Amino acid sequence: ETGVTQTPRHLVMGMTNKKSLKCEQHLGHNAMYWYKQSAKKPLELMFVYNFKEQTENNSVPSRFSPECPNSSHLFLHLHTLQPEDSALYLCASSEQVSREQYFGPGTRLTVT
Amino acid sequence: AQSVTQLDSHVSVSEGTPVLLRCNYSSSYSPSLFWYVQHPNKGLQLLLKYTSAATLVKGINGFEAEFKKSETSFHLTKPSAHMSDAAEYFCVVSDLTGTASKLTFGTGTRLQVTL
């Protein structure tokens, strides 16, 4: 068990739905990350939070809205998604932004 | 700018034979380098890391990697493959720029282990 949990593990949603992905880390880390993993593409960094403050947004469309209420929790709010947003969404955390990252099991998202 | 190239998208070995997964990197700074493994339907697990200490790094499950600055390589090896090693492996380079550390992932190498 990596100490980083994600819920739900699988999600199917229509393009007009609103849903949220949740990530929780039990490692006492200060930095948290959202990644998108699509088939046959490199892992894409979406957002970085350091001490609850967003420090990086990699030109992610506004239909993805992150929230970090504290250093242990990270959410990704989803609305009006497109089929091409279907992917595995991975959450990660690290002690500091310069240290190795630990990943959760991911949420497999399918947009219909 | 930094980049990482995994030279093989797919590697197949027989159980009990050596594993070699190749990785070359490019970095403007003194990099940190990592190997992660991803089993089907699982997240990424850290196998090992290089952070400017010893150039030969030992990781979990019998894997090791050698940092060769002159060749800009960080190849992953294991003396004897096991069926449970079948997975996707990612080479990752990290630059610390400003207040954020940016991880750049390779495209992955799928390791198949046959009987």
Side-chain angles (χ1 to χ4, degrees):
Chain A
E1 189 60 45
T2 63
V4 180
T5 58
Q6 290 186 243
T7 54
R9 294 294 308 277
H10 300 272
L11 178 61
V12 179
M13 60 186 288
M15 289 191 285
T16 58
N17 290 162
K18 289 185 180 181
K19 296 286 184 182
S20 295
L21 309 185
K22 179 183 176 182
C23 174
E24 183 174 0
Q25 58 96 358
H26 313 274
L27 301 169
H29 290 169
N30 297 307
M32 296 188 77
Y33 313 79
W34 278 117
Y35 288 87
K36 177 183 179 182
Q37 187 177 35
S38 304
K40 300 185 179 177
K41 291 176 69 175
L43 207 63
E44 301 172 56
L45 177 65
M46 300 174 72
F47 302 103
V48 180
Y49 278 82
N50 192 30
F51 290 96
K52 304 188 300 178
E53 299 298 318
Q54 187 181 123
T55 57
E56 190 157 344
N57 174 338
N58 263 353
S59 303
V60 180
S62 59
R63 57 185 183 269
F64 295 91
S65 174
E67 178 189 1
C68 188
N70 55 62
S71 292
S72 299
H73 294 86
L74 186 63
F75 296 89
L76 188 62
H77 303 299
L78 316 171
H79 62 98
T80 58
L81 294 191
Q82 305 298 311
E84 59 265 28
D85 297 323
S86 299
L88 182 68
Y89 288 85
L90 292 164
C91 174
S93 71
S94 63
E95 186 178 339
Q96 305 168 29
V97 289
S98 58
R99 301 290 295 272
E100 65 272 17
Q101 295 177 17
Y102 294 85
F103 286 79
T107 295
R108 174 70 61 186
L109 174 67
T110 303
V111 181
T112 60
Chain B
Q2 60 187 22
S3 67
V4 60
T5 302
Q6 292 185 244
L7 297 159
D8 306 293
S9 60
H10 184 261
V11 170
S12 182
V13 301
S14 300
E15 190 175 33
T17 63
V19 176
L20 170 64
L21 304 183
R22 298 182 294 167
C23 173
N24 287 98
Y25 70 92
S26 171
S27 175
S28 303
Y29 302 89
S30 182
S32 294
L33 291 155
F34 309 87
W35 276 99
Y36 283 85
V37 61
Q38 186 177 30
H39 288 90
N41 300 313
K42 297 284 182 70
L44 278 71
Q45 181 184 16
L46 181 66
L47 268 181
L48 49 80
K49 62 179 179 179
Y50 166 78
T51 53
S52 75
T55 56
L56 182 62
V57 182
K58 294 188 184 298
I60 61 172
N61 301 335
F63 284 94
E64 61 182 40
E66 186 171 7
F67 174 71
K68 292 187 176 180
K69 187 174 181 178
S70 61
E71 299 177 10
T72 61
S73 69
F74 190 58
H75 301 332
L76 182 70
T77 61
K78 182 173 180 177
S80 176
H82 192 270
M83 295 297 289
S84 61
D85 295 327
E88 187 99 23
Y89 291 80
F90 294 92
C91 182
V92 183
V93 62
S94 173
D95 270 348
L96 180 60
T97 56
T99 59
S101 173
K102 192 173 179 67
L103 294 191
T104 300
F105 285 76
T107 51
T109 297
R110 182 162 296 280
L111 176 64
Q112 181 182 18
V113 182
T114 58
L115 288 171

